């Protein structure tokens, strides 16, 4: 009867632990079996291969010693000869295991303590696995919890069946949390770590605001309104771009709500963070103008290749457009993904005048003409001597005050100037030791070859080893600010596509790649497309 009571108690303990830790009962029983195996090894010898089984219905414990079937046994504690094994099981073969039943054993204090540690460890591992599996699928959700403690500015949040952490840099500035406070946060990462699964929460993440609006605005939840982008200066100001898939619904009005009720609910959760709701547009110029609200914009000039835009505002709107400590323009830049340069109408006029004077002086020096002719050419939109040299003659002769002879003379002087510059650059190229074979690369000019030579690039192999970034430069965006890095050809008006084409030519010439290597990706893409069409 005592045995039955012990068995019943074992199952009750397993059930209680499983309920408390919210893990499978079988995992607890398996942990107990492992603990019994370890205790049995301490009695029968650590080298003995022992298996313990616990019947999940009756609680009966069975101990067995496993003996490996071998041709000739050397250690009868772990092995059994094939001949003896076949006396017990005629089908036994080398590599099989024969189970020898062992008598029930009494655990000593040390063995019991050791068994307890094994069970605790196994249960803890199962609990951690359960926590990780439960929360890894909740990345990208808002979660509710209670502040458990604050450590060095980091807030530990009790999530019911786990703990999350809001690090100090993921907290809204000047937000104070105390023990027992209810808190909502965004789950942005769940990682397995040595000390268990770590659930990282954030209240400053842009997606936290997106999820809050999704909860407050049914049209966003239903997919009628989309949030295209978000930029936040946590605790201070934010901009959110929205667009409606239904022309009858105003996306901004829907997000604001009746008397601002919807946006105020989000503002309240974010400790009073001011939110500008902006209509999104697929036209970059319109979108950027909207993003700079409440400032008024007079004119924009886009550079689509560099994703840069110059915005001209009235003098009295400059401080509003820039915002306190540059906040407005920084958030607008983050929201749109464009670099934004803001200038006043007076500054823009001054800059245009400076560019006009520079072009006029260029034409005066290069073509040996007087100031009036240089200014006329600049005012007609010519920006470089190359344009004058290769433009249709009628475009020059059609300028007021110019006849065909004057146009021919100007074009001839432009060509002579370019030839002189080309000759000087070629001489410098040879002086730098840049090999003639590089001249065969289509698109490479003498100016470019000089720039390469000054950087130590003198052979086809040298040029083949370049990347497009080395030639045209690159930009890096960090913390809402863009840093531009110059390339060798940054001042020579070379696009990234042209730079990549020149590098491919060099690699072909150097034998690094073949025409087949270039054509292969296109062929593979065509095959995939054909397969997709076939499946449809």
């Amino acid at each position: 009867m005592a045995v039955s009571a012990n068995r019943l108690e074992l199952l009750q303990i397993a059930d209680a632990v499983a309920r408390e830790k919210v893990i499978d009962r079988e995992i607890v029983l398996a942990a107990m079996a492992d603990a019994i195996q370890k205790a049995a090894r301490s009695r029968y010898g650590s080298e003995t291969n022992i298996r313990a089984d616990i019947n999940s219905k009756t609680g009966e414990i069975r101990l067995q010693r496993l003996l490996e079937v071998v041709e000739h046994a050397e250690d009868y504690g772990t092995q059994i000869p094939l001949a003896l094994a076949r006396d017990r099981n005629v089908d036994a073969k080398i590599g099989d295991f024969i189970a020898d039943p062992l008598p029930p054993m009494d655990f000593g204090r040390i063995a019991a303590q050791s068994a307890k540690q094994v069970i605790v460890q196994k249960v803890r591992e199962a609990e951690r696995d359960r926590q990780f599996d439960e929360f890894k699928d909740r990345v990208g959700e808002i979660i509710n919890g209670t502040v458990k403690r604050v450590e060095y500015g980091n807030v530990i949040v009790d999530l019911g069946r786990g703990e999350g952490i809001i690090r100090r840099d993921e907290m809204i500035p000047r937000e104070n949390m105390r023990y027992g406070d209810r808190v909502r946060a965004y789950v942005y990462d769940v990682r397995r770590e040595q000390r268990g699964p770590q659930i990282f929460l954030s209240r400053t993440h842009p997606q936290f605001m997106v999820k809050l609006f999704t909860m407050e605005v049914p049209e966003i939840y239903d997919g009628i309104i989309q949030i295209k982008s978000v930029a936040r200066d946590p605790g201070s100001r934010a901009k959110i771009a929205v667009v409606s898939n239904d022309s009858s619904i105003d996306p901004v009005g829907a997000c604001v709500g009746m008397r601002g009720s919807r946006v105020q609910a989000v503002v309240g959760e974010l400790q009073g963070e001011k939110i500008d709701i902006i209509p999104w547009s697929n036209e970059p110029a319109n979108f950027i103008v909207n993003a700079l609200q409440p400032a008024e914009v007079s004119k924009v000039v886009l550079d689509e290749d560099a994703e840069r835009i110059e915005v001209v505002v009235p003098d009295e709107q400059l401080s509003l457009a820039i915002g306190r400590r540059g906040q407005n323009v920084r958030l607008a830049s983050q929201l749109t993904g464009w670099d934004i340069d803001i200038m006043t109408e007076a500054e823009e006029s001054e800059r245009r005048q400076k560019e006009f004077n520079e072009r006029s002086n260029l034409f005066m020096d290069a073509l040996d003409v007087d100031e009036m002719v240089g200014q006329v050419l600049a005012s007609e939109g010519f920006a470089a001597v190359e344009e004058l040299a290769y433009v249709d003659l009628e475009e020059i002769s059609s300028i007021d005050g110019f006849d065909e002879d004057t146009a021919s003379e100007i074009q001839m002087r432009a060509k002579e100037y370019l030839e002189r510059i080309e000759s000087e650059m070629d001489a410098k190229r040879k002086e730098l030791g840049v090999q003639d074979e590089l001249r065969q690369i289509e698109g490479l000019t003498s100016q470019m070859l000089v720039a390469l030579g000054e950087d130590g690039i003198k052979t086809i192999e040298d040029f083949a080893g370049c990347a497009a970034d080395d030639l045209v430069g690159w930009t890096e965006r960090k913390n809402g600010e863009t840093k531009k890095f110059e390339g060798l050809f940054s001042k020579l008006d070379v696009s990234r596509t042209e730079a990549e084409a020149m590098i491919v030519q060099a690699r072909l010439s150097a034998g690094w790649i073949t025409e087949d290597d270039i054509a292969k990706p296109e062929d593979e893409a065509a095959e995939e497309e054909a397969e997709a069409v076939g499946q449809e």
Side-chain angles (χ1 to χ4, degrees):
M1 188 66 189
V3 173
S4 300
N6 286 339
R7 291 174 183 174
L8 183 60
E9 189 178 340
L10 186 75
L11 295 179
Q12 286 174 343
I13 291 169
D15 289 336
V17 172
R19 279 196 305 273
E20 182 187 346
K21 301 297 184 182
V22 198
I23 57 176
D24 190 359
R25 176 175 181 261
E26 294 300 322
I27 293 174
V28 181
L29 289 172
M32 288 177 168
D34 284 347
I36 292 167
Q37 282 175 197
K38 185 174 180 181
R41 282 199 191 99
S42 67
R43 175 169 176 178
Y44 292 107
S46 58
E47 72 283 349
T48 309
N49 189 359
I50 292 177
R51 182 175 69 196
D53 292 314
I54 301 176
N55 189 309
S56 60
K57 293 180 180 177
T58 65
E60 181 187 358
I61 300 171
R62 283 200 311 162
L63 280 177
Q64 295 174 317
R65 180 178 61 172
L66 299 181
L67 300 173
E68 185 181 3
V69 178
V70 294
E71 187 71 42
H72 301 291
E74 295 178 1
D75 179 3
Y76 281 86
T78 58
Q79 297 174 335
I80 184 171
L82 181 61
L84 284 178
R86 282 186 172 161
D87 289 342
R88 301 189 191 183
N89 183 355
V90 292
D91 296 326
K93 55 183 184 292
I94 292 173
D96 287 352
F97 286 90
I98 297 293
D100 247 0
L102 294 173
M105 57 174 283
D106 292 326
F107 295 102
R109 185 177 62 82
I110 295 174
Q113 190 66 26
S114 176
K116 178 185 173 184
Q117 289 174 355
V118 171
I119 294 170
V120 168
Q121 181 64 27
K122 293 282 184 182
V123 168
R124 187 180 293 127
E125 287 173 6
E127 188 180 12
R128 287 172 175 175
D129 289 341
R130 190 266 305 158
Q131 279 186 10
F132 180 78
D133 292 338
E134 180 178 341
F135 286 98
K136 71 180 171 59
D137 297 326
R138 299 189 68 179
V139 172
E141 293 182 11
I142 284 182
I143 203 163
N144 294 309
T146 308
V147 175
K148 194 171 183 179
R149 62 185 182 278
V150 179
E151 297 176 346
Y152 307 107
N154 301 323
V155 177
I156 311 302
V157 182
D158 183 359
L159 303 175
R161 285 168 31 175
E163 278 186 2
I165 180 171
I166 309 177
R167 293 189 302 196
R168 185 163 45 187
D169 57 339
E170 297 293 341
M171 294 283 293
I172 295 173
R174 296 178 298 281
E175 183 176 39
N176 291 317
M177 288 194 180
R178 294 184 298 276
Y179 172 77
D181 286 355
R182 297 286 297 168
V183 61
R184 278 202 288 186
Y186 176 78
V187 183
Y188 71 92
D189 196 11
V190 178
R191 299 181 208 154
R192 282 188 190 272
E193 292 193 4
Q194 194 68 34
R195 61 183 183 275
Q198 296 296 296
I199 303 158
F200 294 98
L201 309 175
S202 174
R203 286 176 57 78
T204 62
H205 199 287
Q207 286 299 312
F208 182 47
M209 178 177 286
V210 172
K211 294 295 180 183
L212 289 174
F213 268 105
T214 304
M215 292 163 68
E216 295 295 337
V217 183
E219 290 87 349
I220 295 177
Y221 182 82
D222 293 337
I224 300 169
I225 293 174
Q226 278 183 283
I227 297 175
K228 301 294 280 187
S229 59
V230 178
R232 286 185 68 190
D233 193 349
S236 178
R237 195 174 199 91
K239 289 180 183 284
I240 182 167
V242 293
V243 64
S244 174
N245 297 322
D246 185 340
S247 57
S248 66
I249 295 177
D250 171 27
V252 175
C255 291
V256 171
M258 186 72 70
R259 296 179 182 171
S261 58
R262 291 174 174 177
V263 73
Q264 282 306 316
V266 178
V267 169
E269 178 64 43
L270 299 177
Q271 304 296 308
E273 190 172 314
K274 296 180 178 67
I275 301 173
D276 296 333
I277 302 172
I278 291 155
W280 181 83
S281 170
N282 57 6
E283 291 290 332
N286 290 338
F287 185 26
I288 291 164
V289 169
N290 291 339
L292 285 169
Q293 291 177 5
E296 296 175 5
V297 176
S298 304
K299 185 171 70 172
V300 295
V301 180
L302 285 110
D303 180 355
E304 293 194 3
D305 289 337
E307 288 198 343
R308 196 173 193 88
I309 186 168
E310 290 179 356
V311 176
V312 181
V313 298
D315 291 10
E316 67 276 7
Q317 291 280 314
L318 180 64
S319 59
L320 192 60
I322 294 173
R324 187 178 60 185
R325 297 177 184 170
Q327 186 185 64
N328 194 55
V329 68
R330 184 174 67 251
L331 290 175
S333 181
Q334 289 177 17
L335 189 75
T336 59
W338 286 65
D339 294 330
I340 303 173
D341 292 331
I342 294 184
M343 61 182 70
T344 63
E345 291 173 342
E347 288 171 338
E348 198 244 352
S349 176
E350 185 182 330
R351 195 200 63 179
R352 286 168 63 86
Q353 185 61 44
K354 183 182 176 184
E355 288 176 354
F356 176 79
N357 292 336
E358 286 174 353
R359 289 203 302 271
S360 300
N361 292 333
L362 170 66
F363 294 139
M364 288 163 60
D365 294 340
L367 308 176
D368 192 21
V369 295
D370 60 25
E371 186 179 2
M372 187 190 74
V373 174
Q375 289 179 348
V376 168
L377 292 172
S379 63
E380 287 294 323
F382 291 106
V385 178
E386 285 84 355
E387 293 179 20
L388 290 169
Y390 302 113
V391 77
D392 190 9
L393 199 61
E394 288 184 9
E395 281 197 42
I396 304 175
S397 61
S398 63
I399 298 171
D400 286 345
F402 284 18
D403 55 22
E404 196 170 317
D405 291 340
T406 305
S408 297
E409 179 66 23
I410 286 172
Q411 196 163 67
M412 184 186 72
R413 291 187 186 186
K415 289 178 179 176
E416 287 175 353
Y417 170 77
L418 293 176
E419 287 171 4
R420 186 168 69 252
I421 294 297
E422 177 70 18
S423 176
E424 290 173 0
M425 286 293 173
D426 196 48
K428 191 171 182 182
R429 187 262 310 172
K430 290 176 181 176
E431 187 182 326
L432 288 167
V434 179
Q435 294 184 0
D436 290 344
E437 60 182 351
L438 271 170
R439 292 178 64 89
Q440 307 305 315
I441 303 294
E442 187 179 343
L444 274 180
T445 65
S446 294
Q447 275 183 295
M448 294 178 194
L449 292 172
V450 169
L452 292 174
E454 288 174 341
D455 200 59
I457 298 168
K458 301 179 181 182
T459 65
I460 285 282
E461 284 76 14
D462 292 342
F463 187 59
C466 290
D469 284 350
D470 300 328
L471 304 183
V472 298
W474 71 96
T475 55
E476 290 181 3
R477 183 179 289 272
K478 190 173 182 181
N479 298 327
E481 294 182 8
T482 302
K483 189 172 182 182
K484 189 171 179 66
F485 296 86
E486 296 290 324
L488 297 176
F489 297 169
S490 290
K491 298 176 181 176
L492 300 177
D493 193 26
V494 178
S495 71
R496 181 170 292 273
T497 304
E498 291 168 339
E500 288 171 349
M502 288 188 271
I503 291 169
V504 168
Q505 287 183 61
R507 290 175 181 174
L508 283 168
S509 299
W512 291 13
I513 58 173
T514 65
E515 294 286 355
D516 290 340
D517 295 329
I518 300 171
K520 196 177 293 179
E522 295 176 4
D523 295 342
E524 288 173 358
E527 286 175 14
E528 288 176 6
E529 190 174 340
E531 286 177 11
V533 171
Q535 287 171 358
E536 289 175 6

